Amino acid sequence: MKKKLLNSILYVIAVSIFAISPLSILAQVFTGSGGTIQNNGIETFFNLPISGLPTQLDSTYGIEQVCVNINHTAVEELYISLISPQGRIVSLSSGKNVTGANFTNTCFDSRASSSVTINSAPFTGSYKPVGYLGRFNDGLQGNGTWQLAVKDYLFSTNSGSVVSWSITFGTSPSKPVVFTSSNLPIVVINTNSQTLTDQEIVVDLGVIYNGAGQRNYVTNSWNEFNGKTRINIRGNTSKDFEKKSYSLELQDLAGEEIKAPLLGMPSESDWVLGANYPDKTLLRNQLTYDLCRDMGHYSPRISNVEVILNGEYQGVYSLMEKPKRDDYRIDINKLSETDNFFPDITGGYIIKIDRTDEDGWYSLMAGNSPTSTKFYYQYVYPKDTAITVPQKDYIKSYMDSLETVLNSTNFADPVIGYKKYIDVASFIDYFIINELSKNVDGYRLSTILYKHNISKGGKLHIGPAWDYDIAWHNCNYGNTVDPAGWQYQLPVSDFPSPTWWDKFMQDQDFKNQLSCRWSQLRQSLINTAHLNSYIDYNSSLLNESQQRNFVQWPVLAAYISPNPQVQPNANYQGELSDLKSWIASRIPWMDSNINGTCQSVGVPELIALRGPAVNSYPNPFINNLKVTYSVPEGLSNGTMAKVKIELLNVIGDQVEVLFDGNKAPGSYEEAIATQALSTGVYIVKLSVNDKVVYQKTTKVG
């Protein structure tokens, strides 16, 4: 009797333990059927109903791996993802990031030692997927219908099929990222069960920012912004990346567009959240925009943030200004629908050399293309739905006239040549930033131009710089890996660059001005030590957040198209070192190949329009700071100019006067001791007569 009672008790205990945790010991494998993959660029879905799992997937019990058998002669054509019952999507293999035939007994496991992107077909064995399976293990319900989504993005080229696939759940899952606080501002997006696409929807937006040097917690109130935004996925090729970029337009509760000053940037309604997915330094756009701004041009302001979307951590993003007409962005005259006659019709305009997916027109002349392909202009401001027919005719006629002159024998004539139409200084600086970074899209895509009204000179400017995440040695095509060579000379059949740049470089005066400007910048901004200091400081601010980012998006030690090299053991510091090393090789090549003669510059307009320049280094600094500055001839009063250099704190109060007196035109340097200054951000203010320029600098401990 006692033995029967004991057996009954043990049985009850065993049943109770199993009821509490039915899968606490054994993994469970669910297998799905396959079928033909559509060969039309549309996703094919393979369903797998799952039941009997614990209430939620987490770090103690969750997805361990996903295994597939897929027959296809070119797996680089396939985008393969796993979709949870709630609609969360994790990329397993992403198109151009792999190559070869077939996935044969291929298991995607985020605990594996190496990424599928740096291995070879037929990929038999276990590999890290492009995405992170731990994203499913953060409290999602595992029961329901899971889907394997397979898209063959090349229409009717090769066909294939899914033979079989499976999901393994067990006690050794990839752990989710736990995000509670950050040294960066936090952006929160709630879509309220809506799906984000390239079509706009209205969602909730919150920004948490407790001030400079303060910690930001996900539990804090939305104290920087709390409202609505119209949002959509942005980009062209970047739309296929797992980590998406977004366009934002702030709105009030009534659905009306509103402006707000986010994170210290001037008030506006239109913003961009840039993912920087293929840029493993997370710095290339920021480096470019800050460098252009320090060169004296408007450039989108930018702030690094961490993002939460529908409760899920999304990693490091760049919140930045969208280039648009605005008093604090591209400062050109407004155009209304009634401004159809001279002089009002002369400006301002913003156009863009880009793809043909927006309203615009083709160039008059062929671009730099072996097939004589023309490039394409898009209307940006006034936008295509607001610009009038006379305004369209005017800006097209202006650009046709410029192209005609550049293709004439008199193109370099200082009176009737191209200088009649363009702001030479802006084109020289744009040339420098594009060539320094060897931007593969430079000149031919995402190239913004704006034209002032005749009351402001009426000329065409180029800029601001935009979209540099695959510049600076981050692209494997277009001759961008080699630190030698001119990017403007690259012939391209699809989306060619204008032949303007070839013409400019045939003009000795342009080359002389280029030489002068390059020599000036080499003494300050385009200095290897200065750029290295910039990279070190800004990467140090990301040291905490980048670790979370690269768990959630495991692109380090993986190949993400169009990265220029495979780095099986890459880490964040290695990516930074690669960027520095490439810059250190690129600058000397440009030193040797900018062949103008500075003394022969004959157009005073260049210096006068550029204005005074100021730069401080090292930036950031510790105990000593040097300030270099220029007094252009065009700003002097006779032979001398009234010059004042001040150091201000972040709220504009004067901390110290570095110089106050008269200076002849030329370049100067002031050295100051800064031991007594507290750590933080300061502003160097240079006043030359009535012209004022600023430069931000930071003291660190």
Side-chain angles (χ1 to χ4, degrees):
M1 183 68 182
K2 291 183 179 180
K3 185 175 180 180
K4 288 183 179 181
L5 178 61
L6 178 61
N7 288 339
S8 298
I9 293 173
L10 291 175
Y11 175 78
V12 170
I13 293 173
V15 170
S16 299
I17 292 174
F18 186 78
I20 295 171
S21 181
L23 299 170
S24 60
I25 299 175
L26 298 177
Q28 190 164 355
V29 180
F30 296 85
T31 301
S33 59
T36 301
I37 301 168
Q38 299 179 86
N39 193 14
N40 55 5
I42 299 175
E43 284 182 316
T44 307
F45 297 96
F46 301 91
N47 294 338
L48 178 54
I50 289 177
S51 61
L53 296 178
T55 304
Q56 64 181 23
L57 306 177
D58 54 30
S59 59
T60 60
Y61 193 92
I63 287 185
E64 293 182 341
Q65 65 179 15
V66 180
C67 299
V68 300
N69 281 285
I70 296 177
N71 291 334
H72 198 286
T73 56
V75 295
E76 57 267 29
E77 298 176 14
L78 301 181
Y79 285 80
I80 307 172
S81 302
L82 181 65
I83 306 176
S84 74
Q86 298 80 15
R88 185 169 296 177
I89 304 172
V90 171
S91 176
L92 304 178
S93 181
S94 184
K96 301 173 184 177
N97 300 329
V98 295
T99 185
N102 303 330
F103 288 107
T104 304
N105 296 324
T106 305
C107 290
F108 296 102
D109 189 332
S110 293
R111 305 164 301 172
S113 60
S114 64
S115 170
V116 66
T117 66
I118 61 173
N119 284 276
S120 302
F123 303 103
T124 300
S126 293
Y127 308 94
K128 288 182 179 178
V130 170
Y132 183 55
L133 293 178
R135 291 179 55 209
F136 291 126
N137 299 326
D138 69 343
L140 289 185
Q141 166 64 252
N143 295 312
T145 299
W146 292 74
Q147 292 180 310
L148 186 74
V150 185
K151 181 176 74 173
D152 189 335
Y153 80 94
L154 282 184
F155 293 17
S156 306
T157 303
N158 298 296
S159 59
S161 62
V162 173
V163 178
S164 63
W165 67 288
S166 65
I167 307 176
T168 300
F169 298 86
T171 57
S172 299
S174 298
K175 299 184 184 301
V177 173
V178 177
F179 178 52
T180 58
S181 66
S182 177
N183 64 312
L184 302 179
I186 300 172
V187 173
V188 183
I189 301 169
N190 291 329
T191 68
N192 303 310
S193 301
Q194 301 174 92
T195 301
L196 286 171
T197 68
D198 56 2
Q199 301 299 309
E200 293 180 336
I201 60 173
V202 178
V203 303
D204 295 324
L205 176 70
V207 181
I208 299 168
Y209 180 55
N210 294 322
Q214 301 300 307
R215 193 94 186 146
N216 304 296
Y217 294 85
V218 298
T219 54
N220 290 147
S221 63
W222 296 356
N223 50 13
E224 179 74 1
F225 183 83
N226 183 352
K228 299 286 186 179
T229 186
R230 192 175 293 276
I231 186 173
N232 64 280
I233 297 173
R234 70 176 307 275
N236 289 286
T237 56
S238 62
K239 288 181 181 179
D240 289 326
F241 293 149
E242 186 177 28
K243 186 184 180 188
K244 311 293 186 185
S245 294
Y246 304 102
S247 292
L248 308 176
E249 181 189 85
L250 306 183
Q251 295 191 332
D252 61 19
L253 295 179
E256 297 296 324
E257 178 182 342
I258 60 170
K259 296 183 178 182
L262 299 183
L263 304 177
M265 294 179 277
S267 184
E268 243 299 341
S269 58
D270 292 309
W271 303 86
V272 169
L273 274 173
N276 300 318
Y277 182 69
D279 175 15
K280 299 170 186 178
T281 69
L282 304 172
L283 287 175
R284 284 177 167 89
N285 276 324
Q286 182 180 353
L287 167 63
T288 308
Y289 302 161
D290 286 351
L291 185 56
C292 288
R293 190 179 309 107
D294 289 344
M295 289 165 68
H297 304 279
Y298 165 71
S299 190
R301 300 169 185 89
I302 191 169
S303 178
N304 289 315
V305 299
E306 292 193 82
V307 174
I308 301 172
L309 172 62
N310 293 331
E312 184 191 8
Y313 176 70
Q314 296 292 301
V316 177
Y317 275 73
S318 294
L319 178 66
M320 49 193 171
E321 296 174 330
K322 180 180 179 180
K324 62 178 291 187
R325 198 223 71 80
D326 183 87
D327 292 347
Y328 297 100
R329 297 188 186 182
I330 302 177
D331 187 12
I332 55 175
N333 286 17
K334 288 184 179 179
L335 270 178
S336 73
E337 61 182 11
T338 61
D339 293 328
N340 295 315
F341 303 97
F342 188 88
D344 298 333
I345 199 173
T346 62
Y349 293 91
I350 305 173
I351 58 176
K352 185 165 61 169
I353 298 173
D354 214 324
R355 292 174 171 83
T356 58
D357 55 348
E358 300 287 347
D359 193 20
W361 76 98
Y362 281 100
S363 59
L364 183 66
M365 307 294 182
N368 188 5
S369 164
T371 56
S372 299
T373 305
K374 295 183 177 182
F375 55 96
Y376 189 79
Y377 298 103
Q378 293 181 0
Y379 301 114
V380 177
Y381 178 83
K383 58 185 178 181
D384 55 4
T385 57
I387 191 169
T388 67
V389 171
Q391 291 165 359
K392 286 183 177 182
D393 292 342
Y394 175 83
I395 190 61
K396 182 180 184 301
S397 176
Y398 192 92
M399 299 308 298
D400 286 351
S401 298
L402 171 60
E403 291 185 53
T404 300
V405 165
L406 281 166
N407 282 275
S408 72
T409 56
N410 297 319
F411 76 94
D413 186 283
V415 178
I416 64 172
Y418 70 86
K419 296 182 182 72
K420 175 182 176 182
Y421 297 91
I422 73 167
D423 174 77
V424 177
S426 70
F427 277 76
I428 284 176
D429 280 2
Y430 189 84
F431 179 90
I432 287 173
I433 202 69
N434 260 320
E435 292 298 339
L436 177 63
S437 65
K438 286 200 87 173
N439 181 18
V440 70
D441 289 341
Y443 312 120
R444 65 190 194 92
L445 293 170
S446 300
T447 298
I448 301 169
L449 304 109
Y450 63 94
K451 183 189 178 299
H452 276 297
N453 185 275
I454 195 170
S455 64
K456 295 184 178 179
K459 290 191 175 182
L460 184 76
H461 292 63
I462 192 166
W466 186 245
D467 200 7
Y468 281 70
D469 59 341
I470 60 171
W472 303 97
H473 194 225
N474 199 32
C475 184
N476 59 10
Y477 60 88
N479 194 36
T480 57
V481 174
D482 190 348
W486 291 116
Q487 198 62 28
Y488 79 90
Q489 294 177 338
L490 184 71
V492 180
S493 294
D494 293 333
F495 314 115
S497 61
T499 55
W500 309 343
W501 307 95
D502 299 275
K503 290 290 188 177
F504 295 156
M505 294 298 278
Q506 293 171 31
D507 178 16
Q508 189 60 48
D509 186 60
F510 184 93
K511 291 195 294 185
N512 292 342
Q513 295 182 45
L514 172 62
S515 178
C516 275
R517 181 59 166 160
W518 178 254
S519 297
Q520 178 193 40
L521 294 171
R522 285 288 285 113
Q523 302 304 311
S524 53
L525 296 175
I526 303 179
N527 174 286
T528 304
H530 171 75
L531 293 174
N532 285 348
S533 177
Y534 175 95
I535 293 167
D536 287 341
Y537 174 67
N538 286 281
S539 64
S540 71
L541 299 179
L542 295 172
N543 186 55
E544 171 194 333
S545 56
Q546 61 85 13
Q547 296 178 55
R548 287 188 288 266
N549 180 86
F550 292 125
V551 173
Q552 193 76 339
W553 312 107
V555 297
L556 292 176
Y559 170 67
I560 302 299
S561 178
N563 290 162
Q565 67 277 324
V566 173
Q567 297 176 309
N569 300 309
N571 54 37
Y572 186 59
Q573 288 301 318
E575 294 292 339
L576 298 174
S577 297
D578 177 82
L579 174 59
K580 291 180 187 177
S581 297
W582 188 85
I583 291 173
S585 298
R586 180 61 176 162
I587 289 176
W589 186 89
M590 292 184 66
D591 285 339
S592 301
N593 288 275
I594 293 179
N595 296 320
T597 304
C598 187
Q599 289 81 357
S600 66
V601 171
V603 182
E605 165 196 24
L606 176 69
I607 296 177
L609 285 177
R610 182 172 293 130
V614 65
N615 180 57
S616 59
Y617 70 96
N619 191 2
F621 65 93
I622 299 178
N623 290 324
N624 292 285
L625 178 67
K626 293 185 178 181
V627 177
T628 61
Y629 60 98
S630 66
V631 179
E633 293 181 13
L635 297 179
S636 64
N637 183 10
T639 58
M640 303 291 283
K642 176 63 176 175
V643 176
K644 186 176 183 180
I645 307 175
E646 304 165 79
L647 191 66
L648 312 177
N649 61 23
V650 290
I651 62 173
D653 296 331
Q654 185 185 90
V655 176
E656 187 172 347
V657 177
L658 309 184
F659 180 83
D660 189 0
N662 295 323
K663 288 283 189 181
S667 298
Y668 301 92
E669 181 176 277
E670 307 289 341
I672 60 171
T674 60
Q675 291 93 333
L677 296 179
S678 59
T679 58
V681 176
Y682 294 88
I683 307 296
V684 178
K685 177 182 178 182
L686 169 65
S687 305
V688 181
N689 294 339
D690 61 340
K691 305 292 183 181
V692 180
V693 291
Y694 302 88
Q695 203 237 348
K696 182 173 69 175
T697 186
T698 304
K699 180 174 181 179
V700 296

